[in-house]
Amino acid sequence: MELSVIGTSQGTFCGGGELVRELRFCVPKRNGDALNFFDRNSRRRCRNSRLQLTLTASGQSEPVRSDSFPVHEPAKRPNSIDRVRLFVGLPLDVVSDCHSVNHARAITAGLKALKLLGVEGVELPVWWGLVEKEGMGEYEWSGYLAVAEMVQNAGLKLHVSLCFHGDRQHKVSLPRWVSKIGGLNPSIFYTDRSGKAYEDCLSLAVDDLPVLDGKTPLQVYKGFCESFRSSFAHFLGSTITGVTIGLGPDGELRYPSHHQHSNNSIPGVGEFQCYDENMMNHLKQHAASLGNPLWGLAGPHDAPTYNQSPDSNPFFNEHSGSWKTPYGEFFLSWYSSQLLSHGDRLLSMASDVYTNTGVATHGRVPLMHSWFKTRSRALENTAGFYSTDGKDAYEAFAQMFARNSSGMIVPGMDLSDDQQPEQTMSSPEMLLKQIRAACKRHGVGVSGMNSRVGSNGLDRIRKNVTGDENNVVDLFTYQRMGAEFFSPEHFSSFTQFARGLNQHFAELHSDDLLAEETVPVEAEESVPVEASSSPSAEMQTA
């Protein structure tokens, strides 16, 4: 496959006897629930974008090695910026059945565009529900191996996110065999006060219980991580430089306390997720050990539900709430300690598996910033971070990350206080500052993510990732590649953002810079991969 970037001196990649098809960027459309990057019917609306792809007559995509095009070594960057590494997330559905790479031509073009911008690498979501779909220990890595080779060929680094959760929007569930067990034993899932189970990840209360055909979830997660280490051994430490371990809903270390959304513009405080059988057993045992068995009969009876404000019920009331009573302190500290122990177990396992591989391990925490300016800080507490007036949950969590030599990933670095509705008492800036301060005290490296694609947040991201000399973000991952990311309006802004974090671009002649309006586009077909454990599995056009 040949990519020509029109209007630059960075010429042509891979030559020889090709059919030239000029593809222009187009607005996204949906085919069912699958997002297509490229819409043939919309070409005429996109005349300002100038990306030319040259395909071989056979239609077979050719791997592009990093030595196929000029690679500019970054100039030495001064001060804090020297430590910022910029990554971009690949689409969540880049692999959807483990036998094919979706949007393969656009992904290849996008990787080359990112390389020209000086982006260090890309982040790849790897779904437990796809790789180990049919049975315990039955792993299928071929699609992901093909993506890793594409990234290696483009001369980029790869950060892998191992996702032990489901994603309903992208129709990814837990492994079929796990969901079948859950159908017979719903107590393996988190449950709210009304008895509704959250089936997109397993409850932390079963981490060490043999509920998965005689094995514990922790043993199954470890087997998955070890299989990944073995299957991708020749990429580890060279192409693959980091692994993020999924720690809960959406991969974050938290309870699924806010998974029911409403049309209300003011977010609710969420709901405690402690009502599955195993969580209740833990609560009873803990209450009995402290000599207060009645406290272990249930969660707080006076707490709000998902979409209510803190003052809707007595528990989180600012002035007379139960959160500051002995019972409230007992429950909130126990609830948070369970989450802390869960994170400790998984990060410890990951640290053991990836020791001496040249791969850094990471975990992700949420940025639950609504109601931050209240004393009860209800949203953080229902998510598992005991952060009421005078309490700092992030101190204990930072210590736990440090103990496991893991980096902490924090999302929402594109958010600013002035964007938040006044009624929500929100402050993403102050919460981020608190988390980073705790990490700094305990020597934990902080990596960042944005909450959404958009030009409006790029200035805020730049301020957050460069920071000051002693509090810089080590790595920032921009989420994520797709039609909106590569739109002419957004990509030109992202180009300027990347240049600001890669000083060597300023030293190049303007002809060497990627044209601001140049964007990669998507061919509609997926590229099947022959089932193989080899990373060189051949990709054929459909």
Side-chain angles (χ1 to χ4, degrees):
M1 176 175 150
E2 175 180 345
L3 170 70
S4 297
V5 182
I6 309 301
T8 78
S9 63
Q10 296 287 5
T12 302
F13 313 101
C14 298
E18 301 89 352
L19 291 173
V20 175
R21 187 198 312 172
E22 187 175 60
L23 304 179
R24 301 182 184 277
F25 172 81
C26 303
V27 297
K29 72 173 184 178
R30 288 195 175 274
N31 179 12
D33 287 328
L35 181 66
N36 286 329
F37 293 171
F38 181 67
D39 179 357
R40 299 176 191 274
N41 296 326
S42 301
R43 295 180 191 178
R44 61 183 177 276
R45 295 187 298 217
C46 310
R47 301 187 183 279
N48 292 329
S49 300
R50 297 180 294 169
L51 182 80
Q52 180 171 291
L53 296 178
T54 305
L55 305 178
T56 62
S58 67
Q60 181 173 334
S61 60
E62 298 176 357
V64 182
R65 297 289 175 182
S66 59
D67 57 1
S68 300
F69 52 93
V71 177
H72 297 278
E73 292 295 330
K76 180 70 174 177
R77 289 174 289 177
N79 302 328
S80 61
I81 298 179
D82 184 53
R83 289 177 283 165
V84 178
R85 295 176 290 143
L86 179 59
F87 279 59
V88 173
L90 291 170
L92 290 172
D93 65 345
V94 64
V95 173
S96 58
D97 64 5
C98 286
H99 295 284
S100 64
V101 179
N102 297 321
H103 328 301
R105 291 193 178 109
I107 295 297
T108 300
L111 294 175
K112 292 175 182 177
L114 296 179
K115 180 67 177 180
L116 286 172
L117 283 180
V119 171
E120 180 164 325
V122 292
E123 177 261 344
L124 172 64
V126 174
W127 298 98
W128 179 34
L130 297 179
V131 175
E132 200 176 358
K133 184 176 184 177
E134 300 300 335
M136 185 192 301
E138 299 176 14
Y139 308 109
E140 178 52 72
W141 298 105
S142 56
Y144 291 112
L145 285 163
V147 174
E149 180 142 330
M150 291 167 67
V151 174
Q152 182 184 67
N153 291 342
L156 295 169
K157 300 298 184 183
L158 185 61
H159 187 110
V160 174
S161 296
L162 302 180
C163 304
F164 295 116
H165 65 280
D167 187 309
R168 297 181 187 183
Q169 181 180 353
H170 294 86
K171 296 186 175 180
V172 180
S173 64
L174 298 183
R176 188 174 296 168
W177 62 276
V178 174
S179 296
K180 184 177 179 180
I181 292 172
L184 299 174
N185 181 17
S187 64
I188 69 173
F189 300 122
Y190 290 110
T191 305
D192 63 20
R193 187 167 52 186
S194 68
K196 183 174 178 56
Y198 179 80
E199 298 180 355
D200 283 339
C201 69
L202 299 180
S203 169
L204 61 81
V206 298
D207 281 351
D208 291 320
L209 298 180
V211 295
L212 299 180
D213 290 340
K215 287 194 173 183
T216 70
L218 194 61
Q219 289 172 324
V220 174
Y221 298 151
K222 184 175 182 180
F224 186 90
C225 292
E226 289 174 338
S227 177
F228 176 84
R229 182 190 62 191
S230 175
S231 299
F232 291 79
H234 49 288
F235 293 109
L236 299 180
S238 53
T239 298
I240 298 175
T241 56
V243 172
T244 296
I245 301 300
L247 301 175
D250 297 326
E252 296 178 335
L253 181 58
R254 62 177 173 86
Y255 292 99
S257 56
H258 205 254
H259 64 89
Q260 289 191 9
H261 300 286
S262 71
N263 295 325
N264 191 343
S265 60
I266 306 303
V269 302
E271 189 169 311
F272 292 117
Q273 305 288 310
C274 61
Y275 292 91
D276 64 80
E277 177 184 333
N278 300 294
M279 283 290 286
M280 289 306 302
N281 286 337
H282 284 307
L283 180 59
K284 290 176 183 178
Q285 292 170 10
H286 184 61
S289 70
L290 297 179
N292 291 292
L294 293 180
W295 286 358
L297 297 181
H301 68 279
D302 55 352
T305 56
Y306 292 102
N307 294 305
Q308 292 182 313
S309 67
D311 285 328
S312 297
N313 289 71
F315 190 84
F316 286 117
N317 182 274
E318 280 292 274
H319 304 293
S320 58
S322 303
W323 59 270
K324 56 183 179 178
T325 65
Y327 167 76
E329 293 177 356
F330 153 80
F331 177 81
L332 292 175
S333 64
W334 167 81
Y335 189 69
S336 185
S337 70
Q338 296 298 298
L339 184 68
L340 188 68
S341 296
H342 170 71
D344 196 27
R345 287 189 289 268
L346 266 68
L347 289 177
S348 176
M349 176 273 293
S351 180
D352 289 343
V353 171
Y354 296 110
T355 296
N356 300 323
T357 62
V359 171
T361 57
H362 300 259
R364 186 172 148 199
V365 300
L367 193 73
M368 312 295 285
H369 56 84
S370 293
W371 311 110
F372 177 87
K373 295 178 182 178
T374 64
R375 295 175 62 210
S376 63
R377 291 171 65 168
L379 189 66
E380 293 166 82
N381 278 287
T382 59
F385 292 82
Y386 186 15
S387 296
T388 59
D389 188 23
K391 308 270 186 208
D392 185 355
Y394 304 99
E395 191 76 19
F397 281 85
Q399 288 177 328
M400 183 269 289
F401 273 78
R403 184 163 59 250
N404 293 293
S405 303
S406 295
M408 182 184 290
I409 299 175
V410 185
M413 289 200 169
D414 54 332
L415 301 179
S416 59
D417 288 1
D418 58 13
Q419 296 173 327
Q420 311 307 315
E422 185 176 351
Q423 307 94 306
T424 65
M425 304 290 284
S426 173
S427 181
E429 295 177 29
M430 292 174 64
L431 178 54
L432 180 59
K433 183 178 180 180
Q434 179 181 349
I435 295 173
R436 292 176 70 170
C439 288
K440 181 180 177 181
R441 285 191 292 271
H442 296 285
V444 176
V446 175
S447 298
M449 290 173 53
N450 54 314
S451 59
R452 57 183 177 269
V453 172
S455 302
N456 293 337
L458 290 173
D459 286 340
R460 171 56 53 183
I461 293 171
R462 185 180 293 109
K463 292 177 183 177
N464 280 328
V465 301
T466 55
D468 58 54
E469 176 65 18
N470 297 313
N471 199 21
V472 70
V473 168
D474 171 66
L475 179 151
F476 181 80
T477 303
Y478 193 88
Q479 301 291 8
R480 81 182 42 248
M481 285 174 63
E484 187 176 357
F485 176 82
F486 284 122
S487 67
E489 296 80 7
H490 175 266
F491 197 63
S492 62
S493 298
F494 183 79
T495 297
Q496 296 300 325
F497 169 75
R499 289 172 180 171
L501 297 181
N502 293 276
Q503 191 175 6
H504 67 284
F505 267 86
E507 300 172 356
L508 299 176
H509 188 272
S510 60
D511 285 344
D512 289 326
L513 296 175
L514 185 64
E516 291 181 3
E517 72 274 15
T518 301
V519 290
V521 295
E522 176 61 61
E524 290 179 329
E525 63 269 35
S526 299
V527 180
V529 183
E530 294 179 357
S532 170
S533 60
S534 169
S536 60
E538 184 180 9
M539 292 184 295
Q540 303 287 345
T541 55

